[in-house]
């Protein structure tokens, strides 16, 4: 399953795949295309951090010629508008998008450019990039609707592009922000649907129907929640006290107990992640730990 194949890749971070291109130089030898898998640090940060990541790599490849200035460049989604330097990647870029690094006063691009010619720099990486980006026959997801004058819907989970001055566009979205905690990802309004990789998470259907908006009323200021929110005031409160405890909470409490007696917390994470990939059921993982710990204690003869 996709969970088993991608488990190791997503065990420590939320990832987003993007393609970044620089083709402003006259010489094609100075063009560069990077296919990057952005970790959570960049997905949750501003677009200017992604620009700096690209520029730092480019300048190392071209130390003596055409040094780029990160502050002079902006990101531009293929077929869309320039993105603000302080705009969050999570709000403005979708998984699989193609973006150009350009000066804002550069000539606009019409559609997707062809792939770089042989000799131009191209690489693929997860923070450090390595192999040419193959040309695609179809626009990447998220780029097709990014026509000039359109903006991306800011409702949780929508991500559609729409014309704010045009007719209303139907939007299927989530009521509350997502939660990214350890390897799990889910929408706080739909706690029963959890995912363990980015694409599986994005396929979770919305629970609300409305119209696209660039500034939704009543939407929480916080775009996503994490472990600290779960333990703080934003934690969901159970109305039914007799409801069975969530297996993820059981594993979290087990991890804290083992760390308290000197067990390596990372080792525990690796073991339960492997068991989860094998069983695809966290309740079964908890049951395996219960049986193994019980057997160990009984064998001690205490």
């Amino acid at each position: 399953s996709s969970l088993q194949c991608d488990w190791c890749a997503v065990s420590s971070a939320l990832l987003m795949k993007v393609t970044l291109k620089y083709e402003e130089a006259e010489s094609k030898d100075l063009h560069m295309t990077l296919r990057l898998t952005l970790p959570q640090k960049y997905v949750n940060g501003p677009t200017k951090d992604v620009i700096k990541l690209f520029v730092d790599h480019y300048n190392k490849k071209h130390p003596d010629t055409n040094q780029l200035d990160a502050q002079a460049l902006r990101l531009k989604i293929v077929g869309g508008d320039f993105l603000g330097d302080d705009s969050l990647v999570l709000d403005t870029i979708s998984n699989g998008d193609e973006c150009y690094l350009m000066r804002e006063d550069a000539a606009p691009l019409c559609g997707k450019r062809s792939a770089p010619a042989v000799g131009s720099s191209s690489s693929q990486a997860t923070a450090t990039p390595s192999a040419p980006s193959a040309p695609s026959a179809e626009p990447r997801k998220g780029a097709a609707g990014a026509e000039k004058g359109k903006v991306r819907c800011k409702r949780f989970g929508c991500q559609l592009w729409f014309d704010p001055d045009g007719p209303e566009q139907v939007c299927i979205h989530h009521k509350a922000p997502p939660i990214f905690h350890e390897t799990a990802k889910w929408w706080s309004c739909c706690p029963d649907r959890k995912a363990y990789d980015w694409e599986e998470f994005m396929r979770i259907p919305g629970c609300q129907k409305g119209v696209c908006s660039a500034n939704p009323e009543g939407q929480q200021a916080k775009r996503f929640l994490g472990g600290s929110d779960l333990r703080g005031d934003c934690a969901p409160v159970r109305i039914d006290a007799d409801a069975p405890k969530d297996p993820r909470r059981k594993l979290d409490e087990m991890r804290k107990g083992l760390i308290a007696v000197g067990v390596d917390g990372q080792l525990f994470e690796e073991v339960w992640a492997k068991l989860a990939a094998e069983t695809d059921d966290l309740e079964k993982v908890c049951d395996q730990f219960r049986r193994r710990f019980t057997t160990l204690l009984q064998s001690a003869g205490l």
Side-chain angles (χ1 to χ4, degrees):
S1 66
S2 60
L3 174 63
Q4 292 172 322
C5 296
D6 298 336
W7 186 269
C8 293
V10 299
S11 59
S12 61
L14 170 66
L15 307 177
M16 179 186 289
K17 295 180 180 180
V18 296
T19 300
L20 303 180
K21 295 184 176 184
Y22 172 77
E23 299 182 1
E24 295 297 289
E26 292 184 5
S27 172
K28 291 185 178 180
D29 291 338
L30 297 177
H31 293 179
M32 179 176 285
T33 297
L34 299 183
R35 297 186 63 194
L36 300 174
T37 301
L38 300 175
Q40 188 170 5
K41 169 186 174 182
Y42 291 96
V43 174
N44 296 334
T47 59
K48 62 185 178 183
D49 289 350
V50 177
I51 295 175
K52 186 177 185 303
L53 176 68
F54 181 98
V55 169
D56 288 348
H57 179 74
Y58 183 96
N59 288 343
K60 288 180 181 179
K61 292 287 186 180
H62 304 281
D64 302 320
T65 57
N66 201 48
Q67 289 281 286
L68 301 182
D69 179 5
Q71 295 183 348
L73 298 173
R74 299 275 297 280
L75 283 181
K76 184 179 188 299
I77 297 177
V78 173
D81 296 327
F82 284 98
L83 305 180
D85 286 345
D86 294 320
S87 299
L88 296 181
V89 172
L90 186 65
D91 290 342
T92 54
I93 300 177
S94 291
N95 186 47
D97 273 354
E98 284 191 19
C99 300
Y100 282 97
L101 279 83
M102 305 173 62
R103 301 185 313 278
E104 195 162 6
D105 58 355
L109 297 172
C110 297
K112 186 184 294 187
R113 297 191 185 186
S114 58
V118 176
S120 63
S121 299
S122 175
S123 45
Q124 177 177 354
T126 297
T128 49
S130 72
S133 172
S136 174
E138 299 179 359
R140 289 181 177 272
K141 181 181 178 182
E147 301 171 6
K148 188 169 181 61
K150 291 192 174 185
V151 296
R152 197 189 294 277
C153 178
K154 294 296 183 67
R155 294 193 187 277
F156 295 122
C158 178
Q159 297 293 304
L160 293 176
W161 293 86
F162 73 102
D163 183 354
D165 299 321
E168 291 185 343
Q169 180 168 305
V170 176
C171 164
I172 304 298
H173 60 279
H174 286 275
K175 181 180 180 180
I179 297 175
F180 305 134
H181 181 52
E182 296 178 352
T183 61
K185 310 159 193 36
W186 69 97
W187 295 95
S188 52
C189 52
C190 302
D192 296 332
R193 298 290 302 273
K194 295 185 179 180
Y196 296 89
D197 65 48
W198 175 257
E199 293 183 358
E200 181 187 1
F201 168 69
M202 292 304 292
R203 286 196 297 268
I204 297 175
C207 57
Q208 303 286 313
K209 184 176 181 179
V211 295
C212 289
S213 171
N215 187 28
E217 294 183 7
Q219 187 163 289
Q220 301 179 35
K222 204 161 188 178
R223 297 294 297 169
F224 63 92
L225 307 177
S228 59
D229 298 294
L230 295 181
R231 295 186 290 271
D233 295 336
C234 295
V237 178
R238 283 191 179 276
I239 299 177
D240 48 346
D242 296 331
K245 185 178 293 187
D246 188 296
R248 176 163 285 279
R249 177 166 293 185
K250 294 180 184 178
L251 291 169
D252 187 51
E253 292 177 356
M254 194 183 311
R255 176 178 175 275
K256 292 177 181 178
L258 291 172
I259 291 176
V261 296
V263 175
D264 184 355
Q266 182 61 37
L267 175 60
F268 175 72
E269 289 283 344
E270 293 174 358
V271 172
W272 84 252
K274 180 180 178 182
L275 292 174
E278 293 173 351
T279 64
D280 202 20
D281 186 336
L282 292 184
E283 194 62 60
K284 291 181 180 179
V285 173
C286 293
D287 187 57
Q288 287 192 48
F289 276 120
R290 178 187 61 77
R291 288 187 281 105
R292 293 183 184 184
F293 282 133
T294 298
T295 300
L296 179 62
L297 292 173
Q298 290 175 341
S299 66
L302 298 178

